[in-house]
């Protein structure tokens, strides 16, 4: 059905099951950790450690590694089936299969996700104070204050070892989510009076692309096979909602 012509879009995503919900949260935290890893102040250091602490909490709730391996195996099996079809790019399929096989092998041989983060003394010390409002003041954590003022090269080596320990998780998760996102295609849809609903089968992720300059965002709800979108203006009291809203939807 084509795509909308505006260029300033925001893509909103909504998980249709708990597995994808957990993976999207992991993706967000991993992105924050890597972006915040260049610690330049006490405040940026606390922000980094807070994201690390939240990552550890999510990893402690379930077996992320086995779920990611299953997902990669599923896509490898699907690609193997496609390779038997006529008129396919066998060179591309072979390359993708080799890449998936390498990621699965790397994932299976990697250390337990988050183990190094859980056992690190600096991280453990900060985590104990994060649940206390204002509990990470410098007088509460003099050891952290010292660590943040040691040689930059020494601190960088420590941070690099932390990032390296979760790199296999970040790589596998990025691959899996990219494959899921690429499995759907955007189509133009219309909502009347700010509401749209539909049903889907066998989909795990909704993606809604909406022009940012309209100051309208979607409130998304759904589970398994049904979903609903309610479009709202950022100014809930004075904003005007058009009768018809055009957006793009991809069910992945």
């Amino acid at each position: 059905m084509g795509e909308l012509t505006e260029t300033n879009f925001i893509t909103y995503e909504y998980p249709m099951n708990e597995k994808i919900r957990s993976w999207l949260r992991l993706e967000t935290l991993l992105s924050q950790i890597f972006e915040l890893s260049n610690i330049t102040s006490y405040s940026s250091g606390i922000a980094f450690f807070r994201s690390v602490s939240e990552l550890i909490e999510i990893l402690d709730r379930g077996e992320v590694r086995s779920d990611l391996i299953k997902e990669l195996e599923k896509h490898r099996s699907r690609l193997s089936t496609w390779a038997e079809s006529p008129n396919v790019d066998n060179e591309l399929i072979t390359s993708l299969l080799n890449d998936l096989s390498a990621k699965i092998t790397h994932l299976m041989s990697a250390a337990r996700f988050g183990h190094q983060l859980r056992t690190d003394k600096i991280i453990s010390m900060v985590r104990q104070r994060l649940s206390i409002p204002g509990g990470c003041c410098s007088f509460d954590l003099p050891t952290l204050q010292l660590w943040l003022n040691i040689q930059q090269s020494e601190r960088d080596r420590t941070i690099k070892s932390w990032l390296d320990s979760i790199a296999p998780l970040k790589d596998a998760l990025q691959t899996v989510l990219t494959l899921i996102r690429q499995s759907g295609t955007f189509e133009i849809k219309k909502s009347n009076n700010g509401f749209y609903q539909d049903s889907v089968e066998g989909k795990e992720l909704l993606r809604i692309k909406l022009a940012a300059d309209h100051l309208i965002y979607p409130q998304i709800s759904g589970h398994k096979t049904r979903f609903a979108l309610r479009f709202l203006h950022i100014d809930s009291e004075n904003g005007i909602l058009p009768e018809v809203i055009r957006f793009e939807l991809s069910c992945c």
Side-chain angles (χ1 to χ4, degrees):
M1 294 179 62
E3 294 186 356
L4 302 180
T5 57
E6 293 95 339
T7 56
N8 187 20
F9 280 111
I10 299 175
T11 300
Y12 302 88
E13 295 186 327
Y14 186 81
M16 295 293 282
N17 57 50
E18 286 302 316
K19 179 187 69 178
I20 301 298
R21 186 184 303 274
S22 176
W23 286 353
L24 291 178
R25 286 175 173 160
L26 278 173
E27 180 187 42
T28 298
L29 286 173
L30 287 165
S31 176
Q32 290 174 0
I33 288 168
F34 277 78
E35 288 181 17
L36 292 168
S37 61
N38 181 28
I39 298 172
T40 57
S41 66
Y42 199 87
S43 297
S44 64
I46 295 302
F48 171 81
F49 286 112
R50 189 177 298 280
S51 294
V52 169
S53 179
E54 291 178 6
L55 174 66
I56 293 172
E57 287 185 27
I58 289 183
L59 293 177
D60 284 344
R61 293 175 190 167
E63 187 45 65
V64 177
R65 183 208 302 266
S66 61
D67 288 341
L68 288 174
I69 290 174
K70 288 177 185 176
E71 189 73 20
L72 290 171
E73 290 279 12
K74 182 178 76 175
H75 286 284
R76 183 168 66 174
S77 176
R78 186 177 297 164
L79 279 173
S80 297
T81 302
W82 289 350
E84 299 173 0
S85 303
N87 304 319
V88 298
D89 188 337
N90 286 316
E91 186 175 342
L92 176 60
I93 294 291
T94 299
S95 175
L96 291 172
L97 283 171
N98 290 338
D99 182 54
L100 286 178
S101 296
K103 291 183 186 300
I104 292 170
T105 300
H106 191 198
L107 207 54
M108 294 177 70
S109 62
R112 183 187 175 197
F113 290 156
H115 175 71
Q116 184 173 341
L117 303 180
R118 291 183 191 91
T119 57
D120 186 89
K121 292 181 179 179
I122 292 289
I123 293 175
S124 297
M125 176 188 60
V126 178
R127 287 190 73 200
Q128 292 173 6
R129 306 293 306 180
L130 286 172
S131 62
I132 304 171
C136 292
C137 290
S138 58
F139 63 82
D140 287 309
L141 294 171
T143 310
L144 176 62
Q145 188 174 8
L146 171 61
W147 185 80
L148 290 171
N149 285 278
I150 63 176
Q151 286 290 329
Q152 181 73 41
S153 58
E154 183 178 346
R155 200 164 65 246
D156 286 344
R157 279 195 300 270
T158 301
I159 295 172
K160 183 179 184 303
S161 71
W162 293 339
L163 299 183
D164 288 346
S165 73
I166 55 175
L169 168 61
K170 185 174 186 292
D171 182 46
L173 185 64
Q174 184 177 23
T175 299
V176 163
L177 289 177
T178 297
L179 289 169
I180 291 173
R181 286 169 174 137
Q182 290 178 345
S183 69
T185 55
F186 281 102
E187 296 183 355
I188 294 178
K189 303 289 184 180
K190 295 180 181 179
S191 80
N192 294 307
N193 299 316
F195 186 76
Y196 179 90
Q197 65 179 351
D198 204 346
S199 60
V200 290
E201 290 290 340
K203 302 299 182 180
E204 298 187 298
L205 179 68
L206 301 179
R207 308 186 75 209
I208 294 92
K209 195 183 291 186
L210 194 62
D213 51 4
H214 296 327
L215 300 181
I216 295 168
Y217 65 94
Q219 188 177 72
I220 312 166
S221 60
H223 183 62
K224 292 185 178 179
T225 61
R226 297 194 61 81
F227 67 92
L229 312 180
R230 183 171 296 281
F231 293 91
L232 303 170
H233 197 282
I234 194 170
D235 185 346
S236 58
E237 295 183 359
N238 303 308
I240 299 175
L241 203 66
E243 287 188 13
V244 177
I245 299 171
R246 299 173 77 236
F247 63 97
E248 292 184 40
L249 173 67
S250 176
C251 301
C252 309

